[in-house]
Amino acid sequence: MRIDDPFWLLFLLLILFYFGFTAIKTWTKSSLLYRIVYCLRVAAVALLIFALTDPFFYQKDQQEQIIFLMDRSASMAGMEAELSKAIDAAIAEKEGHQWTGVFTFAEDFQTLLPITKDKKPLPMDMAINQERHTNIAQALELASNSGNKDLATRLVLLTDGNETQGSAIESLQRLQSDRLQVDVFPITQQARTDAAISRFETPARAFIGESQTFTVTIQADVETTARLIFSLNDEDYDQKEVSLSKGNNVFSYAYPAEKDGLAKYEARIEVADDAFLENNKLTSITDVGGTPRVLIVSGKEQSPIPALMDTERIHVSEMPAPKLPQNLSSILGYDAIIFDNVPATAIGEQQMNVIEQAVKQFGLGFMMIGGDQSYGLGGYFKTPIEKLLPVDMEVKGKHELPSLGLVIVMDRSGSMAGGKMELAKEAAARSVELLREDDTVGVIAFDDRPWEILPTEKLGNQKEAVDKILSVTPGGGTEIYKSLEKAYEQLEDLELQRKHIILLTDGQSATSNDYDSLIEGGIESNVTLSTVSIGQDADKGLLERLAETGSGRFYDVSDATTIPAILSRETIMMSRTYIVDEPFYPIVYDSKWNSLFADGVPEINTYIATTSKRTASVALESEEGDPVLASWNYGIGNAVAYTSGSGAWSGGFQSWENWPAFWNRAVSQLLPSFEEVPFAVTKKAQGVYTVEDPSHSSAILDITVINEKGEELPVQTEPTTPGKAEVLLDAEPGLVFFSIANEDGATYKTGLTVPYGEEYNIVEPNITMLTTLAERTGGTVLSSLDGAFRDIPFESGTKQSIQQSLILAAMILFFIDITLRRFGIKLPARQTRRAEEENQVPETVEQLIKAKKRS
């Protein structure tokens, strides 16, 4: 038996003194009951004190376990086969009482061979580890908790010791085991040559025409030659042939700043037989000052807006919607973006996310112009663009809402599995959310046969319908005709103003049938059909013909993220009367636009019906109460909605003398109006950045980090002093953007490069760290794995705690104590005395008789 906390035994001295003193005073005069209760109480208290010492029975065990940890980070590339062979050879020599397991690690931790007593070889196939970091600390902690903690354990660490995450030495304090030993087997990286760009700097700010100095530092392991290439906004514009000597090579070049706006420069090298390609490029950002840059994005027709702009004070660019950039750095090259009748189906979800973040976090101005492809008709319901605009796409005014029957026929075949299926379900759910309770809706999912997800009936419970749609899973083959036939059958006899079918598929039907007769019969019953073709394998010819015959629209989708916008647009076109085509004079409200309307406002022909958001400022409104011109602040950016068009829809505005001034005023409303403070952002360590207000006037800093895809990255901000904070950021190598604001509303934006990890540097093993790790745990630095299975100098054994048993025994004794004191002791001796008294009765009577005779 052993105890873990002997300190509690000191209380026995106090108890002995207390009970001993009591016994001396009362023992000789006490009754038997008192003495029994006294002993019970002493025993119970002693048991409780002994239980506090955490006592246990310990049983020795001869077994022990040896766990191998194999580093599979990028710096160890090409070493897997050699290390696996060495581990297999070592395991083959282990003894019968030794258990063994093999785990691999890099940034993550994976099981290669579960801990077993058998001599099993390593599997041939190894799962790929996340190789961009080496986290030895995590590997040690997870491995030590993977086996039997009652056994003496040795961890055998096979690595170069160059950790890029965590601290292995600090992790020893968290292992909390007196039976753990760590051996290390240092690995030297394979002999390879590598050249890497270790530093690339361009000016943070510049002006048009100013000479910019580019400084590039290239680290090389051997003398070699390389091609150094510079690019601007992802387009190459210069290259140099450079000679590299072993060590650091510094090159400087000067280039004029030719375009204003945010410029993304990239330097990369091309070297023959290079070990790592990941360290061959770095990016830098320069903010080139100049005239405001405005981008006009047009739909099917070229926008007339650029011709109305003051190009002497504004730099205007125009591009069609499909060419809209997808990365944040390109979008931030502009001060404002105007969508002129651009449908959401022409751009992807990523572009919309990027624009939304650019407005919210970096002050980009955004304006949407109306048209038959814009707002609700463009499919912007529940998109990031709707979120940033001052109007909702949903119509809540006094507009006619026709009765509608809608059936969505959705492909759920095996080829739809993954992202396409999820987007199709989201699209169908979004369409249902646009409908009213009295609208009729049905959803049919098909593979080799139709599956009725929602019966074609009045919507009723919208949430329940959405939940059913989102529960659809992919199935087998593709059979279109039967599902389409079922949809027509369900709609034909309904008395509704509009009846519409949306067919969505990524494949070809397994059978060919008479689609023309089916669709023509539907046309007679006022049923229309639109089709959506996803990907390259769909039968585009058939789907386009079906839509044309069915008096609907055909959508050829190459970017699956546009599917929700397509179905939203189709649903809105059928369920609402969005285009208000009645000339009117808009109502003017007090706003920043008032000076333009001082002499009156022209007549407008047409607009798209929307609903203004609660905090929006409405400058022009229709007679129906719909906003025509509205604005608001979204984050630190400005957004404007003009629901009429840039052409004939605007009616008298086109001949209005203030028409050019209207668009220039719009741009001025879009441009950032916040105060900018040049906060300093510097890299402190890998993944750690320091943000500081150089004026020391900021008490609180609000810091947001966005990547090129417009995704907000999780950061940990730790204020150090007023106006200064450290930001912990875990991001993929590449470009990120910091948006910084203080409590006064002053903001700052800047782009920084997250460089490739130290994992992609060829360095010598960290012998110092590995030796320290082994020495602190009683392990050794192995020159081969032959010694991995030597005896472990710790004892294996199992502990069986008796603490609860002692507490239970003490409770029983206390219960007996209480019972005896309450009811006393009934001993058999009392019955003996009663018998003696009964025997004494006859003797007394006999003595009385004898006495009478004598008298």
Side-chain angles (χ1 to χ4, degrees):
M1 182 182 293
R2 300 181 182 181
I3 59 177
D4 279 342
D5 297 316
F7 168 78
W8 294 102
L9 294 177
L10 295 175
F11 282 87
L12 285 176
L13 298 177
L14 297 175
I15 299 303
L16 288 174
F17 175 78
Y18 171 76
F19 282 106
F21 179 76
T22 304
I24 292 172
K25 292 184 62 177
T26 62
W27 187 265
T28 57
K29 301 177 183 180
S30 61
S31 64
L32 176 61
L33 175 61
Y34 177 87
R35 294 179 181 182
I36 292 174
V37 170
Y38 175 87
C39 293
L40 289 173
R41 196 165 298 178
V42 171
V45 173
L47 287 173
L48 285 176
I49 292 176
F50 194 55
L52 291 174
T53 65
D54 196 11
F56 59 89
F57 289 117
Y58 182 78
Q59 184 178 1
K60 292 184 178 180
D61 194 331
Q62 296 300 316
Q63 297 184 97
E64 55 189 25
Q65 58 188 4
I66 294 88
I67 299 175
F68 292 90
L69 297 174
M70 184 169 69
D71 187 348
R72 292 191 63 206
S73 59
S75 62
M76 302 295 292
M79 303 290 292
E80 294 91 344
E82 182 180 344
L83 295 178
S84 297
K85 184 177 180 181
I87 293 173
D88 274 335
I91 292 176
E93 300 299 323
K94 80 177 188 68
E95 298 181 14
H97 68 283
Q98 295 174 323
W99 294 65
T100 188
V102 182
F103 300 92
T104 63
F105 71 93
E107 186 177 356
D108 57 349
F109 182 84
Q110 297 183 14
T111 301
L112 184 58
L113 180 68
I115 297 175
T116 177
K117 200 173 183 179
D118 301 328
K119 296 182 179 180
K120 291 185 177 180
L122 299 185
M124 298 296 293
D125 296 328
M126 297 186 189
I128 298 174
N129 286 83
Q130 299 174 11
E131 62 175 17
R132 68 190 185 104
H133 285 292
T134 301
N135 195 330
I136 298 175
Q138 174 182 264
L140 291 174
E141 294 177 35
L142 293 178
S144 65
N145 290 300
S146 298
N148 187 344
K149 294 183 180 180
D150 292 327
L151 299 183
T153 301
R154 174 179 292 126
L155 303 181
V156 183
L157 185 62
L158 296 84
T159 179
D160 60 4
N162 295 305
E163 52 187 347
T164 60
Q165 281 186 343
S167 171
I169 302 300
E170 291 180 4
S171 72
L172 296 181
Q173 302 173 4
R174 298 188 291 270
L175 295 181
Q176 296 179 345
S177 175
D178 56 356
R179 302 177 181 177
L180 181 67
Q181 185 182 66
V182 179
D183 282 0
V184 295
F185 184 61
I187 306 296
T188 302
Q189 299 178 24
Q190 287 185 330
R192 293 179 290 175
T193 59
D194 184 60
I197 297 181
S198 59
R199 192 172 183 180
F200 174 47
E201 293 182 344
T202 62
R205 294 179 179 273
F207 296 94
I208 293 180
E210 180 183 356
S211 179
Q212 307 170 96
T213 301
F214 290 9
T215 303
V216 184
T217 302
I218 303 175
Q219 185 177 15
D221 293 335
V222 296
E223 290 188 7
T224 184
T225 58
R227 177 179 297 168
L228 175 60
I229 304 169
F230 294 107
S231 67
L232 170 61
N233 296 332
D234 300 320
E235 293 185 4
D236 294 348
Y237 73 93
D238 195 13
Q239 58 182 350
K240 310 283 186 182
E241 295 293 332
V242 295
S243 298
L244 304 178
S245 58
K246 186 176 181 179
N248 286 332
N249 301 264
V250 181
F251 302 95
S252 293
Y253 302 97
Y255 295 96
E258 298 177 348
K259 295 182 179 180
D260 55 355
L262 202 66
K264 180 179 77 171
Y265 293 105
E266 181 181 88
R268 71 179 188 272
I269 54 172
E270 295 177 355
V271 184
D273 302 323
D274 202 18
F276 295 116
L277 299 179
E278 290 82 358
N279 58 17
N280 285 10
K281 63 181 180 180
L282 283 180
T283 309
S284 183
I285 289 290
T286 298
D287 189 0
V288 181
T291 57
R293 293 174 59 85
V294 178
L295 174 64
I296 312 295
V297 182
S298 56
K300 292 183 179 180
E301 298 179 357
Q302 189 173 3
S303 173
I305 297 176
L308 301 171
M309 293 286 189
D310 183 358
T311 54
E312 291 185 2
R313 293 186 296 175
I314 302 173
H315 186 282
V316 181
S317 302
E318 184 179 7
M319 71 172 57
K323 292 187 177 181
L324 186 68
Q326 295 189 7
N327 54 62
L328 184 60
S329 60
S330 297
I331 292 296
L332 291 181
Y334 301 97
D335 297 287
I337 294 179
I338 298 175
F339 273 20
D340 188 1
N341 199 21
V342 175
T345 56
I347 57 177
E349 195 80 7
Q350 180 172 321
Q351 285 102 318
M352 289 192 272
N353 279 324
V354 166
I355 291 173
E356 191 258 340
Q357 289 288 359
V359 175
K360 180 180 180 180
Q361 303 293 351
F362 301 98
L364 177 79
F366 182 81
M367 183 176 187
M368 177 172 279
I369 311 302
D372 60 354
Q373 302 285 314
S374 187
Y375 291 100
L377 289 178
Y380 286 101
F381 177 68
K382 281 201 169 182
T383 64
I385 295 295
E386 182 188 36
K387 190 185 300 184
L388 70 87
L389 284 173
V391 297
D392 286 321
M393 304 300 151
E394 182 66 285
V395 176
K396 299 176 183 177
K398 303 174 183 178
H399 296 279
E400 176 189 358
L401 301 178
S403 58
L404 170 69
L406 173 68
V407 177
I408 299 173
V409 182
M410 180 173 63
D411 192 343
R412 56 156 288 196
S413 61
S415 60
M416 288 286 291
K420 287 190 289 186
M421 187 78 249
E422 294 305 312
L423 287 166
K425 291 191 295 184
E426 179 189 339
R430 194 179 290 182
S431 294
V432 169
E433 290 174 347
L434 280 166
L435 301 177
R436 300 159 295 166
E437 291 183 359
D438 291 336
D439 286 331
T440 298
V441 63
V443 176
I444 299 172
F446 67 89
D447 43 27
D448 50 11
R449 65 188 181 93
W451 299 83
E452 190 173 68
I453 308 304
L454 290 180
T456 303
E457 58 188 16
K458 288 188 176 181
L459 177 57
N461 191 325
Q462 192 178 77
K463 183 179 184 305
E464 183 179 332
V466 168
D467 290 341
K468 287 182 179 180
I469 292 171
L470 297 179
S471 67
V472 176
T473 57
T478 305
E479 172 52 57
I480 297 175
Y481 183 83
K482 292 180 181 179
S483 301
L484 197 58
E485 182 181 41
K486 188 177 183 69
Y488 272 101
E489 289 174 355
Q490 293 178 347
L491 283 176
E492 282 177 344
D493 297 331
L494 298 179
E495 296 296 329
L496 300 169
Q497 291 174 288
R498 296 180 183 177
K499 295 179 283 187
H500 190 59
I501 299 172
I502 305 174
L503 170 63
L504 184 150
T505 181
D506 73 336
Q508 303 188 22
S509 183
T511 60
S512 57
N513 300 85
D514 188 2
Y515 287 100
D516 291 340
S517 298
L518 175 66
I519 297 174
E520 288 170 2
I523 291 293
E524 294 176 1
S525 301
N526 197 32
V527 181
T528 55
L529 170 68
S530 291
T531 59
V532 182
S533 167
I534 308 173
Q536 299 300 316
D537 295 331
D539 191 342
K540 293 182 174 62
L542 171 65
L543 295 175
E544 187 171 8
R545 181 168 60 84
L546 295 182
E548 183 178 353
T549 307
S551 300
R553 288 151 296 280
F554 167 69
Y555 299 90
D556 185 5
V557 176
S558 56
D559 181 357
T561 63
T562 62
I563 295 173
I566 290 172
L567 263 67
S568 293
R569 180 173 189 269
E570 282 292 305
T571 304
I572 284 174
M573 290 180 68
M574 302 305 300
S575 63
R576 304 288 191 274
T577 303
Y578 270 81
I579 299 178
V580 181
D581 193 8
E582 296 178 2
F584 67 99
Y585 288 95
I587 302 168
V588 180
Y589 292 102
D590 186 32
S591 69
K592 296 179 180 179
W593 303 75
N594 276 7
S595 60
L596 291 176
F597 308 126
D599 297 329
V601 60
E603 187 180 52
I604 288 179
N605 288 342
T606 312
Y607 71 95
I608 294 287
T610 60
T611 302
S612 60
K613 293 179 179 175
R614 186 173 57 85
T615 58
S617 172
V618 178
L620 298 179
E621 188 177 82
S622 74
E623 297 172 345
E624 298 288 338
D626 299 320
V628 175
L629 180 63
S631 61
W632 77 341
N633 299 113
Y634 183 72
I636 63 172
N638 302 313
V640 175
Y642 179 59
T643 58
S644 187
S646 60
W649 278 27
S650 289
F653 272 69
Q654 295 181 92
S655 57
W656 183 35
E657 60 180 6
N658 286 336
W659 189 229
F662 174 86
W663 293 108
N664 287 292
R665 175 66 60 85
V667 171
S668 68
Q669 295 289 328
L670 295 176
L671 294 179
S673 57
F674 51 81
E675 178 187 0
E676 190 169 62
V677 174
F679 293 101
V681 182
T682 56
K683 180 182 176 183
K684 182 178 180 181
Q686 185 167 342
V688 182
Y689 297 84
T690 300
V691 178
E692 184 176 10
D693 178 3
S695 66
H696 303 289
S697 59
S698 302
I700 301 173
L701 296 179
D702 182 17
I703 302 168
T704 304
V705 183
I706 312 292
N707 66 11
E708 278 275 60
K709 296 180 180 179
E711 300 167 338
E712 186 171 336
L713 301 177
V715 297
Q716 295 181 23
T717 303
E718 298 180 1
T720 54
T721 59
K724 186 175 182 181
E726 284 192 357
V727 178
L728 280 68
L729 170 66
D730 183 17
E732 296 284 341
L735 200 59
V736 297
F737 295 86
F738 279 67
S739 174
I740 308 163
N742 63 12
E743 69 278 10
D744 297 326
T747 65
Y748 179 66
K749 63 182 180 182
T750 187
L752 292 177
T753 296
V754 177
Y756 54 84
E758 297 174 5
E759 192 66 42
Y760 299 102
N761 292 328
I762 295 180
V763 293
E764 294 297 318
N766 189 348
I767 299 297
T768 302
M769 188 277 290
L770 293 176
T771 302
T772 303
L773 194 63
E775 289 177 348
R776 290 194 181 181
T777 59
T780 186
V781 178
L782 300 173
S783 58
S784 72
L785 295 183
D786 296 338
F789 287 95
R790 70 188 187 280
D791 289 338
I792 300 176
F794 304 127
E795 186 180 79
S796 297
T798 57
K799 297 194 305 183
Q800 183 176 354
S801 176
I802 59 173
Q803 188 179 55
Q804 291 184 356
S805 300
L806 294 176
I807 295 174
L808 178 61
M811 291 174 62
I812 293 173
L813 292 179
F814 271 123
F815 180 76
I816 295 173
D817 175 1
I818 295 170
T819 303
L820 290 177
R821 286 189 288 110
R822 176 67 180 83
F823 300 105
I825 302 177
K826 296 181 180 180
L827 297 174
R830 293 186 177 181
Q831 298 178 358
T832 303
R833 287 195 296 271
R834 188 178 298 115
E836 291 176 352
E837 291 174 355
E838 291 174 355
N839 293 333
Q840 290 174 0
V841 172
E843 292 178 1
T844 304
V845 174
E846 186 178 353
Q847 290 175 359
L848 292 174
I849 294 172
K850 289 180 179 181
K852 185 176 180 182
K853 288 180 178 182
R854 286 196 300 268
S855 62

